[in-house]
Amino acid sequence: MSGTTPTEQSSGSVLNRLFGWIDGSLLSLCLASLVVVVAGGLVQVSFGAFSMTIGEAWRAVFDPAVIFDPQVWQVFLLGGELPELGRQTLIVWNIRLPRVFVAVLVGANLAISGAIFQAVTRNELASPFILGVSSGAGLLILLTLVVFSGLAAYLPLLAALGGMFAFVLVYLIAWKNGTSPVRLVLAGVIVGTVFQSLQTGLFFFVDDIGVVQSAIAWTTGSLTGTDWEQVRMALPWSIIAVGLALGSSRQLNVLLLGEQTARSLGMSIEKVRFALSGVAVLAAAASIAVAGIVGFVGLVVPHLVRNVVGSDYKRLVVGCLFAGPALMVAADVGARLALNPIQLPVGVVTGLVGGPYFLYLMRKQQNIGEV
């Protein structure tokens, strides 16, 4: 007689279908990334202009008056007037921790966006930047700061619109009875180069040094001054983008097989490619809107995760969801403490890490560039 009943066998089959794709390598990556995020977050809340000991900062993080009060969380997530809190708790939860939460959202969005673009273009060097998304956002940001300063209050929305405009322009340039990964990449390089040249030219028309500093912070990526407003701004779009990315894992896997195989399986290549690119743009725009242009996260993280968990996009997206925040939080800790009290833009740190890493890949692998 069998040791299991039909009901138990059925339950085991369902669980295997739901969670069978989770393996030890993915769990290890997620746990290691979570440790980095928590450790980096505790470091972030322990240092600042307001002096407090590490013990005081950590007690503020785990203050029951915040953790177990739904009213406080409602204010954090929806806005409003905070109830009375201790001074240290207020500083940690209202100033320092939001920066960590924004870093988590930005890292996850950029990593997932890069992973999708790498499948769409079948090129592991693809990222939100290769299709001109960041260049379009940066150009519209500079135009707003330099020419239309009265619209500065709408800067995040304008950044997202600039990224969307650049993506559509790239797609139109690449279209010739359909698109191809090569044409999309080349069109992205063209649009990115033109927009970056226009960004550089705009600096010659700026007289206010404050405007220049704000523009540099946006174009290099910075988390300085972020608060719950940025969390509220990015969170809904991040949830949508992550959900769509997870739901599209099968289509992403099929795209990696090549256009001929995908068509033989009944996939409408152009519709799927455009829709998935739209998801990637949404994720990147949510990041750019709150942190500016942060380089190399969308390049480095998907490649690292792919080396650990393989090319299955269900595992890859989940891995990016954890590894992206880990890299971003760690980079922000470095940006904040490396030259303390001077705070570097986090994009400088990610560039210093990402540039040498891809130089190493280029020297080590002969077939770099193809997923």
Side-chain angles (χ1 to χ4, degrees):
M1 291 181 63
S2 173
T4 59
T5 66
T7 302
E8 291 173 334
Q9 292 175 352
S10 176
S11 299
S13 177
V14 171
L15 289 174
N16 187 61
R17 287 197 300 269
L18 290 175
F19 304 108
W21 52 272
I22 300 177
D23 57 12
S25 60
L26 178 60
L27 281 175
S28 299
L29 174 69
C30 293
L31 289 174
S33 299
L34 195 59
V35 169
V36 172
V37 170
V38 172
L42 290 175
V43 170
Q44 285 282 49
V45 302
S46 301
F47 298 93
F50 181 84
S51 178
M52 67 177 78
T53 67
I54 294 178
E56 289 172 338
W58 290 11
R59 280 195 296 273
V61 171
F62 300 107
D63 189 346
V66 174
I67 295 177
F68 300 112
D69 190 342
Q71 182 183 354
V72 173
W73 284 101
Q74 181 179 346
V75 173
F76 285 156
L77 297 176
L78 301 178
E81 189 74 23
L82 275 172
E84 187 174 348
L85 296 171
R87 188 176 185 184
Q88 294 172 343
T89 299
L90 189 63
I91 290 172
V92 166
W93 276 95
N94 212 35
I95 298 176
R96 296 181 183 177
L97 272 179
R99 178 168 177 160
V100 178
F101 295 148
V102 172
V104 167
L105 293 174
V106 169
N109 281 323
L110 289 178
I112 289 173
S113 180
I116 293 174
F117 278 138
Q118 288 173 14
V120 168
T121 62
R122 295 180 61 213
N123 188 325
E124 69 177 4
L125 298 182
S127 73
F129 306 91
I130 200 67
L131 294 185
V133 173
S134 60
S135 299
L139 178 59
L140 202 52
I141 287 166
L142 284 179
L143 276 172
T144 303
L145 293 173
V146 175
V147 181
F148 307 108
S149 56
L151 298 176
Y154 304 99
L155 211 56
L157 176 61
L158 293 171
L161 291 175
M164 289 296 294
F165 171 76
F167 164 69
V168 172
L169 184 59
V170 166
Y171 212 87
L172 290 175
I173 293 173
W175 184 270
K176 185 179 180 182
N177 297 322
T179 63
S180 70
V182 173
R183 286 205 298 272
L184 283 170
V185 170
L186 292 177
V189 171
I190 292 169
V191 171
T193 301
V194 171
F195 282 6
Q196 287 169 9
S197 298
L198 291 174
Q199 288 178 34
T200 304
L202 281 173
F203 279 104
F204 290 96
F205 299 94
V206 180
D207 297 323
D208 188 345
I209 188 64
V211 172
V212 173
Q213 291 175 338
S214 298
I216 291 175
W218 270 94
T219 55
T220 55
S222 176
L223 297 176
T224 303
T226 53
D227 55 25
W228 283 102
E229 182 180 353
Q230 280 72 42
V231 176
R232 291 191 291 268
M233 187 181 302
L235 184 59
W237 305 111
S238 302
I239 293 173
I240 293 172
V242 170
L244 291 173
L246 286 171
S248 304
S249 57
R250 179 181 176 276
Q251 287 79 5
L252 291 165
N253 284 331
V254 172
L255 279 179
L256 289 180
L257 299 175
E259 293 189 13
Q260 185 174 353
T261 303
R263 286 196 176 93
S264 69
L265 294 173
M267 176 179 284
S268 177
I269 298 292
E270 294 307 326
K271 290 181 180 178
V272 172
R273 182 177 287 151
F274 189 86
L276 291 174
S277 297
V279 174
V281 170
L282 176 64
S287 165
I288 294 168
V290 296
I293 301 171
V294 181
F296 281 105
V297 176
L299 280 169
V300 171
V301 174
H303 184 82
L304 288 174
V305 174
R306 190 178 289 112
N307 284 342
V308 175
V309 306
S311 298
D312 183 351
Y313 258 78
K314 184 171 287 187
R315 289 197 295 268
L316 185 63
V317 170
V318 172
C320 288
L321 188 60
F322 283 83
L327 175 60
M328 195 67 186
V329 170
D332 193 40
V333 170
R336 187 176 178 188
L337 301 181
L339 299 177
N340 190 45
I342 299 174
Q343 296 190 32
L344 292 172
V346 69
V348 172
V349 177
T350 58
L352 290 174
V353 172
Y357 178 76
F358 268 84
L359 176 61
Y360 160 76
L361 287 181
M362 184 182 67
R363 300 287 293 180
K364 183 179 179 180
Q365 297 180 222
Q366 297 298 320
N367 61 341
I368 186 75
E370 182 178 349
V371 174

